[in-house]
Amino acid sequence: MNTGPSIELVIEPRGKDLGGFSVQRVLPQARRRHLGPFVFLDHMGPATLGPTNAMDVRPHPHIALATVTYLYEGEILHRDSLGSECSILPGAVNWMTAGRGIVHSERERPEVRRTTRRIHGLQLWVALPQDQEECEPAFTHYPADSLPEQRGEGIVLRVLAGSAFGLTSPVATLSRLFYVDAGLTAGARLSVEAEHEERGAYLSWGSVRLDGREYTAPLLLIFTPGVTVELEAIEDTRLALLGGDSLGDRHMYWNFVSSSADRIEQAKADWRAGKFPRVPGDEVEFIPLPED
């Protein structure tokens, strides 16, 4: 629905089953394909897993984007075709730039699988500037204590990527953007200034009041450009603030993003033909290309 003056659009996520593990798919949707350079947003969980079920995302490819995974709870083992192997833990940022092509898997360590545990977090994809879409792939891990944090009355802000609230993350990005993990206690007020071209807030849990209206998670609130937004937490709330400069529309198919439709077709053909590199330590399984 369209609202105002602070809110341009409200998007309700839709549930998607990833083979026994459900997520809330927030972006892309028909009414909104991107927010700044962010072209994809999945809300994973919260879910309780046991010894008989696990998070097992087999090796799959990406091109012309960067993935960023952020956990509230749980642990995910990342492996990729560069030879990277890293446990993703709550509060840390793992930034993987696909560029001309990368393959990765997201699983759980054997010792973790034997326990009853919770998994909860967000995964986003960032489109790359057109002149950087074929850059060399890269992976960088940023531990939780390396990310800048600001505390106020009932508010904790962690700048995960880009710049916001006078803080700048060490995460290396290729375009102007911001991504902030914000925790608000009931009654706390947060002002979000119009310092970026496109801005929004994804409510992971809790509820907020804007312009006299109440909004309850899970929802993506897309802010009106040029307007300072005043958020008030009705209850303890966790939200992701994100946006930045728009890079324009992108073609998307499965895990491929590109400004060129022909490049998408080439990536599809390369994956079918087994031309992408393999993931060391996870060479046997892979996700087949979905049928058109």
Side-chain angles (χ1 to χ4, degrees), residues 60-104:
H60 58 280
H62 291 288
I63 63 164
L65 59 81
T67 67
V68 54
T69 303
Y70 188 74
L71 293 181
Y72 300 124
E73 298 178 89
E75 177 183 340
I76 299 172
L77 178 63
H78 165 95
R79 290 191 182 104
D80 63 43
S81 52
L82 300 176
S84 312
E85 182 172 325
C86 180
S87 287
I88 303 173
L89 300 172
V93 165
N94 287 264
W95 189 280
M96 184 182 77
T97 301
R100 59 180 173 78
I102 199 168
V103 180
H104 75 135

Side-chain angles (χ1 to χ4, degrees), residues 161-258:
S163 298
F165 302 102
L167 302 175
T168 298
S169 167
V171 174
T173 66
L174 295 175
S175 64
R176 187 171 181 267
L177 57 82
F178 75 105
Y179 179 24
V180 178
D181 174 24
L184 284 68
T185 59
R189 294 174 180 269
L190 176 65
S191 178
V192 184
E193 297 183 0
E195 58 180 315
H196 291 273
E197 179 183 353
E198 297 184 357
R199 302 162 299 147
Y202 178 69
L203 305 182
S204 294
W205 67 84
S207 56
V208 298
R209 184 178 291 110
L210 288 85
D211 302 333
R213 295 190 181 188
E214 296 183 3
Y215 299 93
T216 300
L219 285 177
L220 175 62
L221 309 177
I222 297 179
F223 301 152
T224 303
V227 174
T228 296
V229 176
E230 302 289 343
L231 293 160
E232 179 187 359
I234 298 170
E235 57 186 314
D236 290 354
T237 299
R238 195 73 169 265
L239 53 88
L241 298 164
L242 68 154
D245 293 347
S246 171
L247 297 178
D249 290 331
R250 290 291 190 269
H251 298 279
M252 293 185 67
Y253 175 86
W254 189 41
N255 300 311
F256 301 135
V257 171
S258 178

